[in-house]
Amino acid sequence: MSQTKNFNLPDLGEGLPDATIVEWFVKEGDVIKLDEPLVSMETAKAVVEVPSPFSGKVLKLSGAAGDIIPTGSVLASFELDPNLPQRADGQDTGHSHGHAAPAAAPTPPPLPAAAAPVAAEEAKPAAAERDDAGTVVGAMQSSNAVHAEQALAVGGVKAVPAVRAMARKLGVDLSRVAATGTDGAVTMADVKQAAANGTAKLGAAPAPVAAAAYAAPAPAQVSAPVQSEARTPLSAAGKPMRTQPPGVVAKGQPEPLKGVRRNMARVMADAHSKVVPTTLNDDADIHAWLPGNDVTARLVRSIVVAAQKVPAMNAWFDGEALTRTLHAQVDIGIAVDTDDGLFVPALRNADMLDARGIREGVNRLREQVESRSIAASELSGYTISLSNFGMFAGRYATPVVVPPCVAIVGAGRARHQMTPVMGGVEAHKVIPLSVTFDHRAATGGEAARFLRAMMDDLALAS
């Protein structure tokens, strides 16, 4: 008699209560072998490939692409094949599977997380100041488990799960994309290029342009609503149009948050309920800067200097135990803003890096996030955070402190202002600074001295 087993969605190393289905590599009725690719799942960190824990026939798949599956719930059911290799019951697989789903996903311990979306740009090697790529603070939590992605050959096309997810999002048919990766694998750049030039649209048939033009005069067959009609406050009868009452949404449908955005919503709400935030604002005068200064590098250096002078701001605070941890090293959370949401990697040992090392580190983290190759361990453990939101707009802000961190620094949009000097006034360039701190763990005096130390360091020529 055949044996049936369920495979419950394991904790994919993120400490999160759910994950989103990106793509199934099998369908119901297929026969799959042990450790062959089963499904790719999106978590708050990345798109993770989940292998099959059994060999046998796939009886049921729980959910379709885009569905959110709680950790510990049944992901798939199998009819085991005794003639194919199976994993021994006592062998550790890292997966939670068996005859029944666990009662509940364990509550993960609080992880160090602070956030900030930073779209860091390459430093421009010019004689003028380098344009910075700002940071907008969000939040991220993650464990130290690392999931390596490999290019899988599915449907004759080799690509890693993250590339497949991007292709689905951009409406690109992977089978029509020219692959430039190793061993013929389609890369993220290949997908984005195909989306930009429209050469591999999903579901589009390769037809001559002339044929499309010939078929154009058939408006009766077009089912999409006509967008060119002018809006009017009058109905077809010429009477005033009835409006919607307050609170009623006229257009759009609610959709569940997924992946990074879903995690950010949870973390921000948790931070708002726990932290006692206070913000100090001031302007750093950078009139003395020599040409070629990298704004991100200077901001990071000033945080390092200030953290060494005021260690209370470079710390973690446990609100339940009422304990704090002062850190000797300075690890700065600098997030990368992507279409999928905010990723917040840590720039480790910033206190040991020079300007070039800071720039290289920020660029490396950004590239790893964009290619979804960053390790989960890089997304936790910051001691303080930076938000250079001024790249987009805004002078001052009240960025959110995410426990266990005590402080976060926000840098606004640089501007020129008239500054009194001996004998008159001069136009000086300044960077608005905002420092939000948890007043449970740091005093106003400590925060003010921290901000003063940042301003003094930023005032230096180089």
Side-chain angles (χ1 to χ4, degrees):
M1 180 178 178
S2 335
Q3 185 180 8
T4 300
K5 279 200 173 185
N6 292 333
F7 174 42
N8 304 316
L9 178 65
D11 182 344
L12 298 176
E14 302 300 325
L16 298 175
D18 51 48
T20 304
I21 297 174
V22 175
E23 179 181 12
W24 288 104
F25 299 127
V26 295
K27 60 182 182 295
E28 293 180 359
D30 285 354
V31 174
I32 189 171
K33 294 181 180 179
L34 178 69
D35 290 333
E36 285 186 343
L38 175 66
V39 64
S40 61
M41 306 290 295
E42 181 183 9
T43 69
K45 177 256 174 182
V47 177
V48 179
E49 171 204 323
V50 179
S52 173
F54 308 113
S55 294
K57 182 179 180 180
V58 179
L59 297 180
K60 182 176 177 58
L61 302 177
S62 301
D67 288 349
I68 298 172
I69 307 297
T71 300
S73 297
V74 176
L75 185 61
S77 298
F78 300 84
E79 180 182 306
L80 302 191
D81 189 334
N83 299 318
L84 294 176
Q86 303 290 348
R87 185 171 283 113
D89 288 340
Q91 186 174 352
D92 183 14
T93 66
H95 293 157
S96 172
H97 59 81
H99 298 283
T107 303
L111 296 173
V118 167
E121 296 179 351
E122 299 288 345
K124 299 179 181 177
E129 283 181 12
R130 301 183 184 182
D131 290 336
D132 191 20
T135 346
V136 180
V137 171
M140 183 62 53
Q141 286 182 323
S142 177
S143 76
N144 290 328
V146 179
H147 299 271
E149 291 188 316
Q150 295 181 347
L152 310 174
V154 179
V157 179
K158 183 179 289 187
V160 299
V163 171
R164 294 182 183 278
M166 180 60 71
R168 180 185 296 274
K169 182 175 182 179
L170 298 179
V172 171
D173 186 349
L174 283 177
S175 64
R176 301 173 61 188
V177 176
T180 63
T182 306
D183 297 330
V186 178
T187 66
M188 194 72 75
D190 296 337
V191 170
K192 291 180 179 180
Q193 180 62 34
N197 56 34
T199 57
K201 291 183 178 179
L202 194 62
V209 176
Y214 180 79
Q221 311 244 338
V222 178
S223 58
V226 179
Q227 300 294 330
S228 59
E229 292 183 2
R231 296 179 62 198
T232 172
L234 302 179
S235 67
K239 296 181 179 181
M241 195 78 74
R242 185 185 298 261
T243 60
Q244 295 279 9
V248 175
V249 180
K251 292 185 178 180
Q253 295 294 329
E255 61 180 15
L257 295 179
K258 300 174 183 178
V260 182
R261 293 182 187 276
R262 189 177 183 88
N263 183 56
M264 184 180 70
R266 292 192 183 106
V267 174
M268 290 291 101
D270 180 68
H272 181 70
S273 68
K274 293 180 178 179
V275 175
V276 181
T278 305
T279 302
L280 298 181
N281 302 313
D282 212 328
D283 295 324
D285 192 323
I286 61 172
H287 180 67
W289 278 20
L290 298 175
N293 271 286
D294 183 322
V295 178
T296 294
R298 289 299 303 269
L299 286 170
V300 168
R301 191 185 79 178
S302 69
I303 291 175
V304 168
V305 170
Q308 291 172 338
K309 290 185 178 180
V310 188
M313 299 288 280
N314 184 51
W316 292 343
F317 178 69
D318 186 336
E320 294 184 1
L322 294 180
T323 60
R324 69 173 182 174
T325 303
L326 304 182
H327 299 284
Q329 83 283 1
V330 183
D331 295 340
I332 302 179
I334 302 181
V336 177
D337 186 23
T338 73
D339 292 339
D340 296 323
L342 306 179
F343 290 80
V344 190
L347 183 65
R348 304 290 183 190
N349 300 310
D351 50 308
M352 300 178 64
L353 301 176
D354 58 11
R356 179 177 178 180
I358 293 171
R359 171 49 58 190
E360 290 176 349
V362 169
N363 289 344
R364 174 182 57 82
L365 293 173
R366 182 191 64 178
E367 291 167 2
Q368 289 179 348
V369 165
E370 290 178 346
S371 64
R372 293 296 186 91
S373 62
I374 191 164
S377 59
E378 296 296 318
L379 296 171
S380 63
Y382 341 111
T383 60
I384 193 169
S385 295
L386 167 66
S387 168
N388 191 6
F389 61 86
M391 172 194 176
F392 307 109
R395 291 188 182 181
Y396 309 103
T398 53
V400 177
V401 176
V402 179
C405 287
V406 170
I408 183 172
V409 175
R413 191 171 186 83
R415 72 184 190 279
H416 285 87
Q417 71 176 20
M418 301 308 295
T419 302
V421 295
M422 187 70 70
V425 294
E426 293 179 352
H428 284 198
K429 192 171 186 178
V430 299
I431 296 179
L433 297 177
S434 302
V435 176
T436 297
F437 63 100
D438 188 342
H439 217 323
R440 299 175 303 169
T443 69
E446 288 168 331
R449 289 193 294 274
F450 179 92
L451 181 56
R452 179 74 262 171
M454 281 192 65
M455 295 167 60
D456 289 345
D457 186 76
L458 287 170
L460 300 177
S462 61

